[in-house]
Amino acid sequence: MKKDGHIHTPFCPHGTADSLEGYIEKAIQHQFTDITFTEHAPLPANFVDPTPEKDSGMKPDLLPTYIDTLHKLKQQYEKDITIHIGLEVDYIVGYENETKNLLNSVGPFLDDAILSVHFLKWKDEYVCIDYSEQEFMKFVEKVGSVEAIYELYYDTVIQSIEVDLGVYKPRRIGHPTLVHKFQHAHKVHVDDEQRIKEILNKMKAFGNELDVNSAGLSKKYCLEPYPPFPMIEYAKSIHLPLVFGSDAHSINDLHQHYEKIFRK
């Protein structure tokens, strides 16, 4: 099986208008047998998106159309490729009940899903950790250090693994080292190997899959996958299930760096 399990769509408010058919045709051309579309799920209605454009999640009224459209394409292309209907669901501290309710309502219509941390809670404030290097550095000033943000991020990922979100909780944990995205902007070396191993071991204990996410390799201040290569090898050593994800928001980025992640 050759799978890309983390793909965004034209339903993404901060993505591109590239067609679903275009993604599918490219996947077939590159001999992928399975793909999962994992659009950002709608955020809780009572959560205020901290990004300037407030475009982190799909608009709630588009969710039925998204699922229906993918269901039709799944049938249309079933002889050529297996298409999984999925979502990338945000774990947001303090909004567990809202997230569980969303999963209970949409879960029966999904084949696959990812649980990711993009938002960190600091005191009474929420920050989108991967929005921009400027916003990251502003957050560093508030929290006190880069190391403190890393600790907060990993603590939140651990919470996401342990939290009860019901029977439809996603099995796959998305880009668990996303906090590395701006590591070459802040230029602070953080020795977080043990924390990452802690997370991977926790995932193994809870029966999770790892989103081996190649997008960081194309981010100018990251230049590594999420998690980095040594931690991918560690995940293999503990027999943690790995699922490649390009995290593509455009057809051009689809399957990016697959050969670097899974060397033949």
Side-chain angles (χ1 to χ4, degrees):
M1 182 175 72
K2 188 177 180 182
K3 180 176 181 177
D4 190 334
H6 192 156
I7 304 171
H8 292 277
T9 74
F11 288 85
C12 179
H14 60 264
T16 64
D18 290 357
S19 71
L20 288 163
E21 291 85 353
Y23 285 100
I24 296 166
E25 296 289 348
K26 180 173 179 178
I28 294 169
Q29 179 186 351
H30 286 259
Q31 300 179 319
F32 278 77
T33 59
D34 293 72
I35 56 173
T36 300
F37 287 107
T38 52
E39 197 45 77
H40 292 284
L43 299 176
N46 55 339
F47 175 73
V48 178
D49 185 347
T51 64
E53 290 81 11
K54 303 194 182 308
D55 60 355
S56 298
M58 188 193 315
K59 294 181 180 178
D61 58 344
L62 292 178
L63 185 54
T65 305
Y66 169 77
I67 292 172
D68 183 58
T69 302
L70 288 183
H71 182 70
K72 291 174 181 175
L73 289 170
K74 183 177 179 175
Q75 293 179 317
Q76 180 181 336
Y77 286 94
E78 63 182 351
K79 293 181 180 179
D80 302 306
I81 193 168
T82 300
I83 298 171
H84 303 274
I85 302 172
L87 286 172
E88 182 175 14
V89 179
D90 275 286
Y91 173 66
I92 307 173
V93 172
Y95 290 84
E96 291 83 358
N97 287 336
E98 291 85 346
T99 304
K100 187 174 183 178
N101 290 338
L102 169 69
L103 288 167
N104 284 340
S105 66
V106 75
F109 305 101
L110 301 180
D111 305 309
D112 195 7
I114 297 172
L115 187 66
S116 298
V117 173
H118 296 94
F119 303 104
L120 294 184
K121 184 179 183 183
W122 171 250
K123 297 182 178 179
D124 294 323
E125 177 184 4
Y126 289 90
V127 173
C128 182
I129 199 66
D130 66 320
Y131 181 76
S132 71
E133 64 270 24
Q134 291 85 2
E135 291 299 313
F136 186 94
M137 295 311 297
K138 287 180 185 177
F139 195 39
V140 171
E141 292 178 11
K142 290 180 181 178
V143 177
S145 69
V146 171
E147 291 88 346
I149 291 178
Y150 275 50
E151 287 298 310
L152 180 57
Y153 188 82
Y154 293 138
D155 287 346
T156 307
V157 173
I158 290 287
Q159 285 180 255
S160 76
I161 295 168
E162 296 177 338
V163 70
D164 177 11
L165 294 178
V167 296
Y168 296 109
K169 179 182 177 180
R171 290 188 59 228
R172 189 150 70 259
I173 301 299
H175 44 56
T177 61
L178 183 65
V179 72
H180 285 189
K181 184 174 180 179
F182 303 115
Q183 61 184 348
H184 294 293
H186 60 67
K187 299 180 181 178
V188 176
H189 174 70
V190 181
D191 184 3
D192 56 358
E193 181 177 310
Q194 292 308 312
R195 291 285 348 239
I196 299 170
K197 287 183 176 179
E198 176 191 355
I199 287 169
L200 298 176
N201 285 319
K202 180 75 69 172
M203 290 171 59
K204 173 72 174 179
F206 275 74
N208 294 129
E209 298 172 336
L210 171 63
D211 171 42
V212 181
N213 192 304
S214 65
L217 283 162
S218 293
K219 305 301 181 184
K220 66 178 180 177
Y221 294 123
C222 185
L223 305 179
E224 68 182 20
Y226 313 117
F229 287 112
M231 294 297 96
I232 295 173
E233 293 306 311
Y234 179 77
K236 291 178 182 177
S237 77
I238 62 171
H239 306 290
L240 180 64
L242 312 180
V243 179
F244 171 80
S246 60
D247 205 349
H249 287 68
S250 68
I251 292 173
N252 186 57
D253 291 339
L254 187 64
H255 315 320
Q256 57 186 336
H257 310 298
Y258 179 85
E259 292 76 15
K260 295 178 184 177
I261 302 291
F262 292 110
R263 300 179 182 90
K264 293 183 179 179

